[in-house]
Amino acid sequence: MRSIDTAYIDGAFVTVSGDEVIDIINPANEKLIGQQRLAGRQDARRAIAAASHAQTALSQSTKAERLDMLRSLQAAILRRADEIRDVTIAEYGAPISRARWISQYASDCFGYAADALQGYQFSRRIGDATVRMEPVGVAALIPPWNAAAGTICSKLASALAAGCASVIKPSELSGLQSQVVTETLHSAGLPAGIFNVVVGRGSDVGDELGTHPDVARISFTGSTATGKAIARAASETMKRVSLSLSGKSAAIVLDDADFEAALPMALNSGFQNNGQACIAGTRILVPRDRLEEVEAIVRAAMGAWKVGDPADPGTTIGPLANAAQFDRVQRYIARGIEQGATLIVGGPGRPEGLAQGYFVRPTVFADVDNDMDIARDEIFGPVLSIIAYVDDDDAVAKADDSPYGLQAYVYSRNVERASRISERLMAGSVLINRVTPDLRAPFGGVKQSGIGREFGIFGLESFLEPKAIVREHADVEAASAPQWRGPESITDFY
Ligand code: NAD
């Protein structure tokens, strides 16, 4: 049992001023494993002040200095990767394979940011201008609960590479993971104030970050509803905002795909992270005349999915993160049945033999119409919909008939054909015959899945702003003949 009552401000762990204490529950057994005293507005202000102070020096830092910092953070996370993996299992319920990937990624993203920084030109000539890419200023980094360690680290990596000091506000539902990650980042020994971590609620700490005049940039990952609220609040002080939001990704299985290989991959994408992934391919689009075959393969493939103790290496789906998530997913399963979809796998209630913990039955519906709630809403649990299409045009139309556009998947034996379909899809990224993204490529959504891109060069540039310094050429100045230099007064313009 761990008791946390500090925030990380100006290089030190300081007791928070907030007085709300929340329980931290292990979702696999519903046991109390910790308590967290949440930070409040006061703490957020102190963190912003510390970051603002650090920003002055960080803006002047050299590329080499920032590369050193990134490499130190990468090494620090790698040293404690096992601890990060274990706390991701204990607090969040990620299966061990996923938790291991998250802790590895948390380290790798500093390496990716360093690689992007290494080759980046901060200054270039455009016409008479020297264009300097300058750090935008203090950044608020706001991650969700479903990918705490990875999102904290990837946002911090891009901000730091660009020379932006930051205040990180992890979700109040990921206190334990955030604490372990923060202690690890602290062990890298960076100068005080470059990053600060304040765990609190969105309504006070988040709101303070979203409205404070000294915060220049917000990098948010979370739900579309919260993203809209943040964008509205941030517009008052014209903060630079990137929003990585909800998704309802389509996985198109083309008629020439190897169904025996493609459908298990589609299930893999849909059930990743216990179904609590923004990029989960939750709408599986298949040719209408092959429905029977698809259903048989899906039923058989489900034998490989084992729900249970997330620490057991044989487990592929752990519990949902909390009771609210459990209830939400149960409601959607009931809604799917109510609206006429056919259950082919799973269903309401808990899996057999799992009376404790927020476990749900991995569920697949067939005969789903793209207008049903289970096809339109982001359920954020292991509930997938099989949707039939008649031809390629219909597949693209159905895939794009969604308010979201984060990621899509295409499965085909013909990569050229799959690429042509990918070009037509409205999505921030499209994966062909694979489930794992390339985390050096830009990531983000179109439509209501967000604005802006993260990772690699695009992530770095999202924390920079171009400044154009335009001057006379030396040779023009040398030829000191009188010349037209613009209007004598502003009124000459009009
Ligand atoms: P959420 O929107 O409820 O919360 C996200 C973060 O925002 C939390 O830290 C929360 O405390 C904070 N917040 C809430 N109100 C705020 C406010 N007014 N001002 C500032 N901050 C505020 O999302 P969640 O439930 O934590 O995460 C799940 C959602 O995140 C899903 O919709 C999922 O698709 C999305 N998500 C998107 C991505 C992506 O990269 N696109 C990745 C992971 C999760």
Side-chain angles (χ1 to χ4, degrees), residues 251-306:
I252 302 179
V253 182
L254 291 176
D255 54 8
D256 68 353
D258 172 357
F259 281 20
E260 295 283 353
L263 288 164
M265 265 199 277
L267 294 177
N268 224 327
S269 127
F271 290 143
Q272 62 180 300
N273 213 11
N274 303 339
Q276 297 169 137
C278 54
I279 50 172
T282 48
R283 292 183 297 143
I284 304 177
L285 272 55
V286 302
R288 182 173 295 285
D289 55 4
R290 307 271 298 274
L291 266 177
E292 225 173 285
E293 186 189 344
V294 166
E295 289 177 21
I297 293 172
V298 166
R299 277 199 190 90
M302 285 308 293
W305 290 86
K306 183 174 168 247

Side-chain angles (χ1 to χ4, degrees), residues 45-78:
R45 287 185 194 135
R46 287 175 65 193
I48 295 167
S52 302
H53 188 251
Q55 184 61 53
T56 311
L58 192 56
S59 302
Q60 306 303 318
S61 63
T62 64
K63 190 191 263 192
E65 286 166 338
R66 296 203 297 287
L67 283 169
D68 274 355
M69 289 190 248
L70 289 166
R71 298 289 184 206
S72 305
L73 292 168
Q74 180 182 21
I77 296 280
L78 199 58

